[in-house]
């Protein structure tokens, strides 16, 4: 059985200032499979929270089935055009956002895409992997919807979740930036292990508590994490 859970929390500084959560999250199940998208609006852009919320909604419509039925290039190009069309203004750079999305079918087939910062971890056939590469962009500016038009800036992969505790995990950089690379596999196994023992609702509550208690005081970054995994047989 394929299961999933996810949570997002506003960063302490953003909350204290009365600002919006610039992260966005979408988790939907259908026919035994799941679709997950997380987005992180660029803090330097005034309407990034609008762009991130639209990104995860449009991603579900365009990428959920498209990642299996078309080439990654075609699916991503259609998604980008749909996101631009959905924006409430003709200034996409003001709503710039990252996007990470994963679609998993009932048989365990999984496809993932990523543009910009954040982190994608996965375990397939018992083997651990990291999709996310080094940050790219001029002057340390992240690749993002509304900023980057090159397909080459996207990362994507496909695999099969064939064993219990195989899964995929997506997170924004408010969480990812604090993780030690050498311990990513242990972090992945810990979260999957706890989620596997809880219902989706209880798993969401547990994740939210961990994010709120994240040991980086007085920071601004919002935090979002979502996981889809194959449960124990």
């Amino acid at each position: 059985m394929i299961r999933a859970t996810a949570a997002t929390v506003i960063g302490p500084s953003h909350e204290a200032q009365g600002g919006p959560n610039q992260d966005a999250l979408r988790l939907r199940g259908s026919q035994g499979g799941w679709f997950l998208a997380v987005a992180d609006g660029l803090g330097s852009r005034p309407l990034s929270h609008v762009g991130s919320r639209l990104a995860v909604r449009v991603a579900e419509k365009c990428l959920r089935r498209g990642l299996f039925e078309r080439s990654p290039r075609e699916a991503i190009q259609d998604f980008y055009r749909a996101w631009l069309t959905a924006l409430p203004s003709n200034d996409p750079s003001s709503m710039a956002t990252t996007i990470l999305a994963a679609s998993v079918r009932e048989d365990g087939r999984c496809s993932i895409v990523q543009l910009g910062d954040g982190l994608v971890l996965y375990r397939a056939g018992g083997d651990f992997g990291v999709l996310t590469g080094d940050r790219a962009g001029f002057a340390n500016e992240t690749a993002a919807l509304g900023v980057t038009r090159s397909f080459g800036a996207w990362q994507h992969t496909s695999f099969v979740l064939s064993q219990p505790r195989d899964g995929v995990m997506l997170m924004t950089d408010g969480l990812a930036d604090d993780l030690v690379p050498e311990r990513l596999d242990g972090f992945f196994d810990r979260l999957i292990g706890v989620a596997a023992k809880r219902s989706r609702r209880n798993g969401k509550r547990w994740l939210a508590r961990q994010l709120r208690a994240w040991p980086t005081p007085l920071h601004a970054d919002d935090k979002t994490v979502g996981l889809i995994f194959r449960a124990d047989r």
Side-chain angles (χ1 to χ4, degrees):
M1 179 185 359
I2 305 297
R3 295 180 54 198
T5 192
T8 183
V9 300
I10 190 170
S13 294
H14 288 168
E15 187 173 28
Q17 296 164 5
N21 187 342
Q22 294 170 343
D23 283 5
L25 168 67
R26 193 84 164 175
L27 178 63
R28 294 290 185 272
S30 176
Q31 299 180 338
W34 289 90
F35 178 82
L36 169 68
V38 302
D40 181 4
L42 273 59
S44 60
R45 308 305 170 96
L47 297 175
S48 64
H49 61 289
V50 176
S52 64
R53 290 170 187 170
L54 285 173
V56 296
R57 294 174 189 170
V58 175
E60 182 187 6
K61 295 178 181 178
C62 295
L63 297 178
R64 181 171 191 151
R65 295 176 60 85
L67 287 174
F68 295 103
E69 297 175 349
R70 291 172 290 171
S71 70
R73 178 185 288 271
E74 290 175 327
I76 286 169
Q77 288 175 340
D78 284 352
F79 160 68
Y80 209 150
R81 284 192 291 265
W83 179 77
L84 290 170
T85 300
L87 297 180
S89 82
N90 59 359
D91 182 16
S93 66
S94 70
M95 290 168 270
T97 179
T98 67
I99 183 70
L100 301 82
S103 187
V104 180
R105 292 196 164 178
E106 185 179 15
D107 60 6
R109 284 183 294 161
C110 175
S111 287
I112 311 170
V113 296
Q114 176 177 2
L115 177 67
D117 290 344
L119 190 60
V120 176
L121 309 178
Y122 62 90
R123 191 176 296 281
D127 295 326
F128 178 75
V130 181
L131 172 66
T132 310
D134 295 331
R135 170 179 285 194
F138 179 75
N140 242 7
E141 182 172 359
T142 186
L145 298 172
V147 174
T148 308
R149 292 187 176 274
S150 171
F151 175 72
W154 289 78
Q155 298 172 85
H156 56 88
T157 192
S158 297
F159 47 82
V160 178
L161 308 181
S162 60
Q163 297 184 14
R165 306 295 176 91
D166 278 0
V168 58
M169 183 178 299
L170 313 182
M171 68 189 82
T172 57
D173 61 359
L175 182 64
D177 283 354
D178 288 340
L179 298 179
V180 178
E182 294 77 13
R183 298 180 180 176
L184 291 177
D185 54 346
F187 179 79
F188 178 93
D189 290 342
R190 164 67 174 162
L191 264 63
I192 295 289
V194 171
K197 297 176 182 178
R198 298 171 180 261
S199 67
R200 182 161 68 98
R201 179 174 295 181
N202 286 339
K204 176 181 178 180
R205 290 173 178 168
W206 181 83
L207 284 175
R209 286 198 300 270
Q210 305 310 305
L211 298 183
R212 291 192 185 96
W214 197 252
T216 307
L218 303 178
H219 57 98
D221 259 348
D222 311 309
K223 296 179 180 62
T224 302
V225 62
L227 43 149
I228 305 173
F229 59 95
R230 183 175 287 280
D232 294 336
R233 299 184 188 279

